[in-house]
Amino acid sequence: MSRGPTAAHGMQPAQKRKPPAIKDLVLLLFPRTGMDPLRPQPPLSLLALAPIIEAKGLVPLVVDQRVEPDCAARIRRLLPRALFVGVTSMTGEQLGHALELIGFIKAASPQTPVVLGGIHASLTPEQTAAAPGVDLVAIGEGETVLPEIIDHYLHNTSQEKIASICYKKNGKILRTPGRELLALDRLPIPAWHLIDPARYTDFTVQCGRGCPHACTFCYNKTFNARRWRARRPEAIAGELAFLYEKFGITDFHFIDDNFFTDFDRVTRLCGLIVEKNLSIRWKSSFRADYFRKLTPELAALLKKSGLALLFVGGESGSPAVLERIKKGVLVEDILAAARISREYELPTSISFMAGFPFETDEDRRLTFDLMDAVKKECPSISLEGINLYTPYPGTELFEESKEHGLREPESTAEWAGFVFNRSNLPWLAPAEGRRLMNISFIARFVFWERAIRERFLKRRYYPFYWFLRASARLRWKKRWFAPAPEWDLFRAMSRRL
């Protein structure tokens, strides 16, 4: 027999090629937000998408940068199997972390597609699609568009026929027509089994979406067109029972834009919680003007079903500001909220804002005075302090802010600089911006001190905390907000802690 060609004859032995990795999973990433407590809320937006991925025969895996110390290693390990990577992000610092993750993914696996979704991407789709490393933007409610995105990457279907996406093609940014808002009762229960419950607190359950009100600083008017949609109380109670019995979860946060839009529906849900004997605690949003609609019977049912806290957006103590932001409440409503909270013994927390482009020193003084009056009316009430107004895209007030000198970011990376509670408002001089940021922190240490200590601080920082608490109380009482070197130092340090 003749011998075949060998290396001696100038031929290399045949090399065995590794078979291509099976693309059997979709990797879902939740970036850090920059204001994460020690135990954050679960990444509900991603868990809600997972059952849709499972229905397509793929494996959904969630990587939460907030709780996974070495998420980069896990991402690198999973990338060879990823059909694509889905990333969500809010406006602000989380966008910066999202872009860093996307850069890491593209460096490790350039061919792996990246889909970016969430409210910010939905409100600025063309700009988001132009960001480096982003292959496709999902616009609006991800549950409606995700099945077709999966088909595109799994079966090479046409992108042009997928509604509510934005993508790059031949150097151009293309956007397809939108979709109708979905009926929430068609959605499956989120894939809670994908996370470790011990890493999280205040398990988020969405009972409805949208809000019928018209606040000019809120994204709802654009994203949900002021339409309110709700799940059936029976479906919500079933999800609560599942989490309670399967995982032993007892603390919930109903993260609706406006949970109490329909009091009859809330009454039915609370009745079902009691009927099912669910020993839980729950929190939700509540408008100040809704307190006058409460009856003693409903207040008693709320507490019996496990009400732990009502979050109220008071926003301002100035009638003029409340009117300009179209809040739809009066100063008297906010004071009534405090009085009724005391009368019915309802656990309530009220937050305020400052830094609007049309706001005056007198408007702010009225807010400070109202906060003191609310606390006097109901000493047990929690005040979350004063948030600095942050202009967000897609809102009426954002457009008005541009008339006052706000420059709209020209890239997704620039939007990462729109950091919650960090002044970047052009109508404020630098010294006034620092003063407002100090006021924001000082008010929190006066009125929200327990939550700061328990949710955000490790014990080794407690001595510094007690010093700041004493400083805050004195400064608030005397209205000494500038100069405040200890608070300038704290703000600088807090970004690194």
Side-chain angles (χ1 to χ4, degrees), residues 12-192:
Q12 294 296 325
Q15 297 290 323
K16 289 186 177 180
R17 293 184 180 181
K18 289 184 178 180
I22 298 174
K23 303 293 185 178
D24 63 342
L25 64 84
V26 174
L27 196 55
L28 302 173
L29 307 186
F30 197 97
R32 288 195 297 268
T33 70
M35 51 182 180
D36 301 308
L38 300 177
R39 289 177 63 203
Q41 293 181 334
L44 178 62
S45 59
L46 300 183
L47 299 178
L49 300 177
I52 297 167
I53 296 169
E54 291 174 332
K56 287 288 187 177
L58 298 170
V59 178
L61 288 177
V62 173
V63 177
D64 189 341
Q65 192 181 30
R66 300 171 302 167
V67 300
E68 298 192 37
D70 195 10
C71 68
R74 187 176 179 216
I75 293 171
R76 187 187 296 276
R77 187 172 68 253
L78 294 171
L79 276 177
R81 294 173 53 198
L83 180 67
F84 65 90
V85 177
V87 186
T88 187
S89 179
M90 299 181 294
T91 306
E93 194 167 351
Q94 190 178 32
L95 268 179
H97 294 299
L99 293 176
E100 289 174 0
L101 286 173
I102 292 171
F104 171 79
I105 291 164
K106 287 300 186 179
S109 180
Q111 74 280 4
T112 300
V114 171
V115 177
L116 186 55
I119 293 174
H120 180 89
S122 297
L123 297 176
T124 62
E126 289 88 355
Q127 189 181 68
T128 303
V134 176
D135 296 288
L136 187 148
V137 171
I139 304 171
E141 296 173 308
E143 297 94 339
T144 62
V145 67
L146 181 58
E148 293 176 43
I149 292 176
I150 293 173
D151 287 342
H152 167 65
Y153 289 119
L154 199 57
H155 305 299
N156 199 31
T157 59
S158 172
Q159 284 180 307
E160 289 86 348
K161 295 181 180 179
I162 305 175
S164 291
I165 65 168
C166 200
Y167 58 96
K168 292 187 283 278
K169 184 176 182 180
N170 299 327
K172 295 183 178 180
I173 303 296
L174 302 178
R175 179 176 180 175
T176 61
R179 296 172 182 261
E180 290 293 320
L181 296 173
L182 58 77
L184 300 185
D185 271 327
R186 292 167 48 194
L187 297 177
I189 290 179
W192 293 107

Side-chain angles (χ1 to χ4, degrees), residues 216-217 325 356-358 389 391 395-402:
T216 62
F217 55 83
I325 63 176
F356 296 110
F358 41 75
Y389 166 62
T395 66
E396 184 178 338
L397 191 49
F398 182 86
E399 296 304 314
E400 184 176 349
S401 295
K402 290 197 288 188

Side-chain angles (χ1 to χ4, degrees), residues 429-448:
E432 182 64 5
R434 288 194 300 273
R435 178 174 175 268
L436 277 184
M437 284 191 285
N438 285 338
I439 290 172
S440 177
F441 278 97
I442 287 168
R444 275 177 165 71
F445 273 75
V446 171
F447 298 111
W448 205 49

Side-chain angles (χ1 to χ4, degrees), residues 130-283:
V134 176
D135 296 288
L136 187 148
V137 171
I139 304 171
E141 296 173 308
E143 297 94 339
T144 62
V145 67
L146 181 58
E148 293 176 43
I149 292 176
I150 293 173
D151 287 342
H152 167 65
Y153 289 119
L154 199 57
H155 305 299
N156 199 31
T157 59
S158 172
Q159 284 180 307
E160 289 86 348
K161 295 181 180 179
I162 305 175
S164 291
I165 65 168
C166 200
Y167 58 96
K168 292 187 283 278
K169 184 176 182 180
N170 299 327
K172 295 183 178 180
I173 303 296
L174 302 178
R175 179 176 180 175
T176 61
R179 296 172 182 261
E180 290 293 320
L181 296 173
L182 58 77
L184 300 185
D185 271 327
R186 292 167 48 194
L187 297 177
I189 290 179
W192 293 107
H193 61 279
L194 294 180
I195 61 171
D196 176 5
R199 288 177 162 177
Y200 300 95
T201 188
D202 288 350
F203 268 59
T204 43
V205 171
Q206 192 166 60
C207 307
R209 293 178 185 174
C211 176
H213 297 281
C215 302
T216 62
F217 55 83
C218 183
Y219 78 100
N220 251 305
K221 292 171 70 174
T222 300
F223 193 86
N224 287 301
R226 291 184 65 181
R227 278 185 55 194
W228 176 74
R229 296 158 293 144
R231 297 169 62 194
R232 292 179 300 107
E234 292 76 12
I236 302 164
E239 182 175 353
L240 295 174
F242 169 77
L243 288 167
Y244 179 76
E245 295 163 3
K246 177 77 173 179
F247 300 108
I249 305 302
T250 57
D251 290 289
F252 295 95
H253 184 179
F254 301 148
I255 59 163
D256 301 27
D257 301 300
N258 191 334
F259 177 68
F260 278 86
T261 300
D262 183 343
F263 272 41
D264 289 339
R265 173 175 161 275
V266 171
T267 300
R268 175 61 180 154
L269 174 59
C270 292
L272 288 170
I273 292 172
V274 174
E275 287 177 22
K276 290 177 177 291
N277 199 29
L278 303 180
S279 182
I280 66 172
R281 290 161 44 87
W282 58 268
K283 307 173 182 178

Side-chain angles (χ1 to χ4, degrees), residues 352-363:
F352 293 87
M353 299 175 71
F356 296 110
F358 41 75
E359 188 180 58
T360 66
D361 282 337
E362 176 62 14
D363 292 326

